[in-house]
Amino acid sequence: MTRRPWGSRAALFGGAALVVGVSAASAVPAVVDEWRTTPPIEAVPVELVAFDTCDTALAELRDAISPHVGVYGLGSGFLRAHGEVTTDSRASADSSAGTPKSAPEAADAPEHSTTNTHEAGVDEPDLVKTDGKRVVTVADGKLRVLDVATRRITGTLDVPGGHASQLLLHEDRALVVGGGGGVAGHRIAVDSPHEPYAEGAAVTLVDLTAEPRVLNTLTVDGRYVDARQVDGVVRVVVHSGPRLPWVYPTEERTEAESLIKNRALIVTAPIGDWLPRYELTSADGSRSEGALVACDRVSRPEQHSGTSMLSVLTFDFPGDLGTGDAVTILADGDTVYGTGTSLYVADDHHLRPMTRTARNTPSTTAIHQFDISQQGPPKHVASGQVGGVLLNQYSLSEHEGHLRVATTSADAPGIPEAEPATQSSVTVLKRDGAKLQEVGKVDGLGVGERIYSVRFVGPVGYVVTFRQVDPLYTLDLSDPAKPRKVGELKITGYSAYLHPAGDGKLIGVGQEATGQGRTTGTQVSLFDVSDPAAPTKVAGHHLPGANSEVEFDPHAFLYWPARDLVLLPVLDVPVGRKPVEPTSSGLLVLRLGDGAFTALGTVRHEASTYDPGIRRALVIGDDLWTVSAAGIQVTRIDGLATRSWVPFT
């Protein structure tokens, strides 16, 4: 069977709210046209150097992109592989999820939960945030502020640039992510489903001191990838491609004619067609626009395709939005992992020629490390490469100067028409000058399977692979040069998310399955990993036919050890349900104690014409705040009695 997770988002500012927007990329077909001659992607050096001049940059970009141009421009030759093995979020040793929060700015606020994040002290964008005194959400596409004491909406804002999807919060400011239409006057009209760069990202800074008020909106031609916040500084990663007016085959234009025109196009295209553009709108409506980055501030590896750029933007909450002082590299990528001092962007070549020979080409992941320990723009310090592809951001973990990377590879040689065998590994990298050098590796995990979840906890790693049964591997990473597998537990089903629960315990959320690998519904598991050589499953809670958003977005998970609560949204699909029968959603409330789960009940939202679908849960004092696109419900933890329902109207 096949399954894959999805990825992360977001960004933020201070003294106000900041909103970031993204629109989905147009579909790209998976079949390579006959005019493509692009060779399979191979492992190449990934150290970065800057262009000397703009003329040098333009000449190199034209040469690099030329082999990738086909009858649909850059369209049908590349597959944006968002349907196969890719990235998402999971957790590491220092996860701050569920940690009680009493920030200095909210000293008089009740104890409250925070977003489930990968690393302590590194916040991630999500659809709801709280400081204990107010709840700010964009669950229904609008920014809403609710007062915790009165449980009332105190402000609503239509975010500029499109549908808001995520936000970050710092004091009286927030950063929200939503759809962007690109920079006015600089977007190329897209008349074909083959164009992969029909997208825009918008970042909005909002003041929350009174009624929510937009301070600035930054719109960028590109795809928002992800963001991380450390204290009051946010780093936003944006992916962009050349804005060229490609032509396509029509009844009047043959494929050969389209190919000739598209290849001629790049010969005359100016450098500005490659550089991402921005438009900055102030509160008074005034606008400025231009290139997001100067061409001599773009760095590139020794070999690249010239088809994509990654820009890291820096925003400081107390300041103005600005243009983000971009640092840009010629690379692809959609996995971001951050610590308090480093930001990593990984590229596992999702834009890959889908040829018969490419299926048996060893897959690789390039990783770029940026130093964010100082104020101002990040500094690229190292790049490296590992075999295989990532599951999500939790496939990466930095510990005591080493980066551990869990990947799945399909490198085993086989019949050209057949899918190659898969296996998984954990590679340990260490920075050596400008390179991330491999210092150790353990492989051979889950032969014939792929990774479904990863968790690194200090010097120990946990990897779950799945095809028909679920092996949970425990890894000893205490010696970076000699990582080794020390234990293995085989059970039915799989865990798509792993969360440390203290005292040598690990919580898993995923799916139960038959011995043949057919999934049967949401499974919450408790593993005893106190002896890494002999991991055991000590408890489980199964909901037949159900699934949970936690499986592909760990932000939906909440573990609140102060009350021994495990909380996750579920969608109930009863076994034997007829297609016309409705499903129902809710928040599953479990208590973890004495090595067992006790079901306390399921919180459900009021539904008039449709099931609102609970997305998130917050703990504030003695109450559960559950968030859906329909509204917010406040429920007493003890007894699960409803206290308030606040509809979004």
Side-chain angles (χ1 to χ4, degrees), residues 194-524:
H194 303 293
E195 174 56 56
Y197 294 114
E199 51 198 359
V203 182
T204 302
L205 180 64
V206 182
D207 180 28
L208 301 176
T209 53
E211 183 75 14
R213 179 175 62 94
V214 172
L215 297 179
N216 307 94
T217 296
L218 176 67
T219 303
V220 177
D221 280 336
R223 170 176 56 89
Y224 165 76
V225 179
D226 210 343
R228 294 294 180 269
Q229 176 189 347
V230 179
D231 297 324
V233 179
V234 179
R235 317 284 180 170
V236 179
V237 181
V238 176
H239 174 280
S240 61
R243 301 176 311 281
L244 297 172
W246 307 113
V247 300
Y248 311 108
T250 64
E251 292 182 357
E252 292 77 26
R253 183 188 298 124
T254 67
E255 290 188 344
E257 291 171 334
S258 293
L259 179 64
I260 292 171
K261 288 182 177 294
N262 285 332
R263 288 184 172 173
L265 181 63
I266 63 173
V267 176
T268 57
I271 185 65
D273 285 351
W274 270 272
L275 301 177
R277 297 192 62 84
Y278 78 88
E279 182 177 271
L280 180 63
T281 305
S282 301
D284 61 5
S286 60
R287 297 184 179 185
S288 61
E289 62 180 66
L292 187 68
V293 62
C295 54
D296 57 357
R297 292 192 62 183
V298 178
S299 298
R300 88 286 192 194
E302 182 177 326
Q303 295 185 30
H304 60 87
S305 67
T307 60
S308 59
M309 293 184 180
L310 289 171
S311 298
V312 182
L313 312 181
T314 300
F315 303 107
D316 192 349
F317 264 111
D320 293 329
L321 187 60
T323 61
D325 204 0
V327 173
T328 301
I329 63 176
L330 271 169
D332 198 0
D334 59 4
T335 302
V336 174
Y337 163 64
T339 69
T341 57
S342 293
L343 186 75
Y344 295 90
V345 182
D347 166 23
D348 52 9
H349 305 309
H350 292 160
L351 294 180
R352 176 180 296 279
M354 296 300 292
T355 63
R356 181 174 295 176
T357 56
R359 291 193 183 97
N360 287 316
T361 300
S363 52
T364 60
T365 295
I367 302 171
H368 305 287
Q369 180 184 5
F370 297 85
D371 182 355
I372 59 170
S373 61
Q374 305 298 318
Q375 293 184 346
K379 179 183 178 182
H380 173 264
V381 292
S383 294
Q385 192 163 257
V386 298
V389 294
L390 307 175
L391 173 70
N392 50 57
Q393 65 151 312
Y394 289 88
S395 297
L396 302 165
S397 173
E398 185 183 88
H399 180 67
E400 296 182 348
H402 293 85
L403 180 68
R404 293 84 63 90
V405 186
T407 56
T408 295
S409 301
D411 298 345
I415 302 172
E417 289 78 10
E419 291 294 326
T422 60
Q423 66 162 336
S424 297
S425 61
V426 172
T427 305
V428 182
L429 304 176
K430 185 175 177 60
R431 180 184 167 191
D432 181 6
K435 297 181 180 180
L436 292 172
Q437 296 277 27
E438 178 180 321
V439 297
K441 184 176 183 178
V442 54
D443 55 15
L445 306 176
V447 176
E449 302 172 342
R450 69 174 181 81
I451 291 177
Y452 268 58
S453 61
V454 182
R455 189 85 194 212
F456 293 100
V457 182
V460 181
Y462 305 99
V463 175
V464 170
T465 62
F466 180 73
R467 185 174 184 182
Q468 290 182 319
V469 295
D470 167 3
L472 168 65
Y473 297 100
T474 59
L475 309 176
D476 179 0
L477 306 171
S478 57
D479 183 351
K482 297 179 180 179
R484 60 192 182 95
K485 183 185 76 172
V486 295
E488 178 179 345
L489 172 65
K490 287 190 177 182
I491 55 176
T492 55
Y494 62 83
S495 294
Y497 174 65
L498 298 171
H499 192 94
D503 298 325
K505 299 297 191 300
L506 196 65
I507 299 171
V509 179
Q511 287 280 313
E512 178 60 289
T514 66
Q516 291 71 44
R518 182 179 63 83
T519 58
T520 62
T522 296
Q523 174 87 351
V524 184

Side-chain angles (χ1 to χ4, degrees), residues 16 76 129 174 193 298 317 439 466 522 538 561 572 585 590 609-610 628:
S76 63
K129 297 286 180 178
V298 178
F317 264 111
V439 297
F466 180 73
T522 296
V538 296
D572 300 325
S585 68
L590 301 176
T609 58
Y610 73 104
S628 72

Side-chain angles (χ1 to χ4, degrees), residues 558-581:
L558 177 60
Y559 173 51
W560 189 245
R563 299 291 289 266
D564 298 322
L565 295 178
V566 176
L567 308 169
L568 60 150
V570 292
L571 177 66
D572 300 325
V573 186
V575 176
R577 181 186 72 92
K578 297 179 181 179
V580 295
E581 294 177 336

